[in-house]
Amino acid sequence: MIEVVDLYKKFGRQEILKGVNLRIEKGQTFALIGGSGNGKSVLLKHIIGLMKPDKGSIMIGTEDITRLRGRRLRAIKDRLGIVFQFGALFDSLTIYENVAFPLKEKTKLSEAQIKEKVFKELEAVQLLEDRDKYPAQISGGMRKRVALARCLIMNPEIIFFDEPTTGLDPVIAKIIYNTIRSLQEKRRLTALIVSHEIPGIFQIVDRVAMLHGGKIISTGTPEEIQASTNPTVQKFLKGELE
Amino acid sequence: MFFFYPFKLIGGKVINFIRELGKMAIFLGSSLYSMLLPPYRPFRVTKQVYFIGVKTISVIVLTGLFTGMALTLQAYYVLITFGAESKLGAITSLSLIRELGPVISALMVIGRAGSALTAEIGIMRISEQIDALDSMALNPKNFLSVPNLIAGVISLPILNALFILMGIWGGYLVGVTLTGLSSGVYFGAISDSVQLQDLTLSLKKSLSFGLLFSWICCYKGYFADSGSGFGAEGVSKATTEAVVLSSVVILVCDYFITSILILT
């Protein structure tokens, strides 16, 4: 379970988060939607422990990660997996090396065991043939799938996706959505997907929250959000929000 | 209000400068602390020693040789007017060991490896690769800056020694081969004048410069997105700042290290 309580963040004089409250239940696939520049990625970086808030708390299970440091924070991060917006793959490593990287750094598995696991994950995202290529030699969609494989190889309990389909063509976006959906069916992970891809994202999530003006203005199932009477939500869904 | 503007401007700059110094000190402190914690990365340290040290050898050989040659040529025409050309070896070797070796070798390493180091870490920062390391519960400082700090401290003294040797050989080529001074006189003056404390001074300087340059270059790359620019522009500015700042700091510190070690 993830619970964000009254979260505030300011950069200089610009207030990005102005008291965000959010609750994601275990095993739920949750979408955080909102226009560009509304602080979705900033909120995500707080939840995964990359940023510290000015005020508020973020509970992951029973631990408030805003107050944790060192070993205890690392123990929480070990339970999380993140697929960054542009993949954040190590550009000097091959696809295989990128996926093997967390295992090499964090486990004592033998080279043969690592190879077996990496091959399995690469096969799952249909990139086994491209394992010797470098990130610069593959497409944006492939990079996101490699990032997903790198993230899943450590069996995280909670997985975060930052704009998983932004900038991809509809066919690749559908592949990514299908991968996320089959992942949910097989592993029952808790997932938070940050996106502004409407209505595509509604097909794969259990609940949706909309972030606008530094606050969550609406939460509900995809159907509830689509039927929302909130004028800002309706404007966003119709693509009329500035 | 207009009257207070200069005070506000100067005050703001001073506060920013002090804040930056504090951030740099915290960065070094946390990097040194993470150096003590596992995992230890001998492979990455070796890789960085190769990048910073081995790949700079050709530059050091060339600059050392020509620095020694130019220095000896200049010194020869001054000494000959006093009939003191027998001291040529002493002047060349002491200048190289005490000052030119540590300073020029450090400046060469900054130009060749320091800028690349900042650019590499800066690109990792803007493409979220450092965030990816952090999100994997790995300490990015332990992964990125520690191997470079160790490699800088290992490589600089060796490159300094190589620079001095090449400089002395360059001095020999000019002093003995071109001007006809006896090689016995040249090397005799070196062995008479060079003391152990000169070599210790040179070693201490190059160790300090190794730490300084790798610290500044890693720091500038690590915070490439929080300086005066973003994206590619941020990396470009961070690289320039890293080269300029580490060169200036090394020249300033050279004076202070010399004064402290000579006075004590």
Side-chain angles (χ1 to χ4, degrees):
Chain A
M1 185 268 287
I2 302 168
E3 190 170 17
V4 179
V5 183
D6 213 18
L7 203 73
Y8 284 82
K9 183 69 180 181
K10 228 190 226 184
F11 292 113
R13 287 180 186 173
Q14 200 184 359
E15 250 186 316
I16 305 292
L17 304 178
K18 302 173 189 170
V20 173
N21 289 288
L22 194 67
R23 191 183 165 91
I24 303 166
E25 298 298 337
K26 196 175 177 187
Q28 209 168 52
T29 305
F30 200 99
L32 181 66
I33 60 169
S36 295
N38 269 297
K40 300 187 303 292
S41 294
V42 171
L43 176 59
L44 180 68
K45 285 191 174 179
H46 278 87
I47 299 174
I48 59 183
L50 293 179
M51 281 184 181
K52 292 277 178 198
D54 299 331
K55 204 178 126 190
S57 62
I58 299 163
M59 304 297 293
I60 293 189
T62 53
E63 301 258 33
D64 179 359
I65 65 154
T66 62
R67 298 183 199 289
L68 295 182
R69 282 176 172 273
R71 200 174 299 167
R72 287 180 65 198
L73 181 59
R74 284 200 296 277
I76 296 278
K77 284 183 182 176
D78 278 337
R79 294 163 50 200
L80 315 178
I82 299 107
V83 179
F84 286 89
Q85 190 171 357
F86 301 105
L89 301 177
F90 302 117
D91 42 23
S92 57
L93 304 181
T94 62
I95 304 308
Y96 175 89
E97 288 165 339
N98 261 287
V99 180
F101 184 84
L103 292 176
K104 283 187 177 169
E105 285 293 327
K106 302 198 66 86
T107 67
K108 287 179 179 165
L109 295 177
S110 69
E111 204 54 53
Q113 288 169 312
I114 290 175
K115 191 176 173 184
E116 192 192 325
K117 278 178 169 278
V118 173
F119 271 45
K120 199 176 146 199
E121 289 299 342
L122 283 177
E123 208 161 12
V125 293
Q126 297 162 32
L127 283 170
L128 192 56
E129 299 289 307
D130 301 286
R131 63 185 178 276
D132 293 326
K133 289 182 180 166
Y134 284 89
Q137 296 172 306
I138 59 174
S139 69
M142 287 161 91
R143 275 202 284 273
K144 288 198 177 169
R145 275 145 65 200
V146 177
L148 181 61
R150 184 178 70 179
C151 171
L152 292 174
I153 204 152
M154 293 302 283
N155 288 318
E157 286 172 36
I158 306 167
I159 189 162
F160 299 91
F161 296 89
D162 190 4
E163 309 278 6
T165 54
T166 304
L168 302 180
D169 66 65
V171 177
I172 302 292
K174 200 174 175 188
I175 292 174
I176 298 274
Y177 284 145
N178 288 342
T179 312
I180 296 173
R181 199 190 335 223
S182 69
L183 198 71
Q184 278 308 101
E185 284 162 6
K186 281 181 201 160
R187 307 198 195 192
R188 293 309 304 162
L189 302 169
T190 305
L192 171 63
I193 305 169
V194 169
S195 181
H196 59 247
E197 298 287 312
I198 304 297
I201 195 72
F202 291 154
Q203 304 160 18
I204 57 163
V205 297
D206 303 318
R207 282 185 79 76
V208 181
M210 180 164 167
L211 183 70
H212 183 74
K215 286 186 172 180
I216 299 291
I217 56 164
S218 190
T219 312
T221 61
E223 294 75 27
E224 285 166 352
I225 290 289
Q226 280 169 306
S228 170
T229 52
N230 186 318
T232 313
V233 175
Q234 283 306 322
K235 271 188 176 178
F236 178 71
L237 295 178
K238 288 173 189 162
E240 294 166 358
L241 196 65
E242 284 178 17
Chain B
M1 285 302 279
F2 182 75
F3 176 76
F4 292 108
Y5 183 72
F7 296 101
K8 196 180 163 190
L9 191 75
I10 295 166
K13 289 214 180 285
V14 170
I15 289 169
N16 280 342
F17 176 71
I18 294 169
R19 190 178 289 153
E20 182 80 359
L21 279 184
K23 256 176 90 179
M24 285 183 74
I26 291 168
F27 180 81
L28 180 66
S30 55
S31 295
L32 292 177
Y33 174 69
S34 73
M35 197 183 282
L36 307 172
L37 306 172
Y40 306 109
R41 304 179 188 279
F43 177 73
R44 271 190 70 79
V45 172
T46 315
K47 194 178 156 212
Q48 289 314 102
V49 167
Y50 176 75
F51 177 69
I52 295 171
V54 178
K55 284 189 147 184
T56 316
I57 286 178
S58 54
V59 179
I60 291 292
V61 166
L62 212 63
T63 50
L65 183 71
F66 281 97
T67 304
M69 287 166 77
L71 177 70
T72 309
L73 200 60
Q74 291 281 6
Y76 180 78
Y77 285 104
V78 174
L79 291 174
I80 203 164
T81 57
F82 304 106
E85 61 269 31
S86 61
K87 295 291 176 196
L88 194 60
I91 288 196
T92 305
S93 58
L94 287 178
S95 308
L96 284 164
I97 292 169
R98 287 181 184 171
E99 288 299 330
L100 297 175
V103 172
I104 299 182
S105 59
L107 295 179
M108 289 299 119
V109 171
I110 290 167
R112 204 210 62 79
S115 50
L117 212 67
T118 307
E120 188 186 344
I121 298 175
I123 288 168
M124 287 186 77
R125 165 60 75 195
I126 62 163
S127 59
E128 294 183 315
Q129 292 175 52
I130 295 181
D131 285 344
L133 283 172
D134 202 344
S135 69
M136 287 174 202
L138 294 167
N139 183 342
K141 284 175 194 143
N142 180 288
F143 191 81
L144 294 171
S145 64
V146 167
N148 284 310
L149 290 176
I150 298 173
V153 170
I154 292 173
S155 304
L156 251 286
I158 298 168
L159 293 173
N160 175 32
L162 184 64
F163 186 94
I164 294 165
L165 281 176
M166 291 313 297
I168 290 174
W169 188 54
Y172 171 84
L173 287 179
V174 171
V176 177
T177 317
L178 287 183
T179 61
L181 191 75
S182 142
S183 64
V185 171
Y186 180 77
F187 286 116
I190 295 175
S191 67
D192 286 346
S193 58
V194 177
Q195 305 289 313
L196 181 63
Q197 62 258 38
D198 298 318
L199 298 173
T200 318
L201 173 74
S202 190
L203 178 68
K204 284 177 181 168
K205 277 186 179 181
S206 57
L207 285 170
S208 316
F209 296 163
L211 181 68
L212 279 172
F213 111 85
S214 49
W215 168 30
I216 293 169
C217 291
C218 288
Y219 170 80
K220 285 289 176 188
Y222 199 83
F223 293 105
D225 62 340
S226 58
S228 46
F230 294 96
E233 192 191 359
V235 176
S236 142
K237 282 188 176 170
T239 309
T240 309
E241 281 171 15
V243 171
V244 173
L245 186 65
S246 32
S247 305
V248 170
V249 166
I250 278 171
L251 289 167
V252 172
C253 284
D254 178 55
Y255 170 75
F256 287 108
I257 294 171
T258 307
S259 350
I260 292 165
L261 293 179
I262 281 180
L263 289 173
T264 51

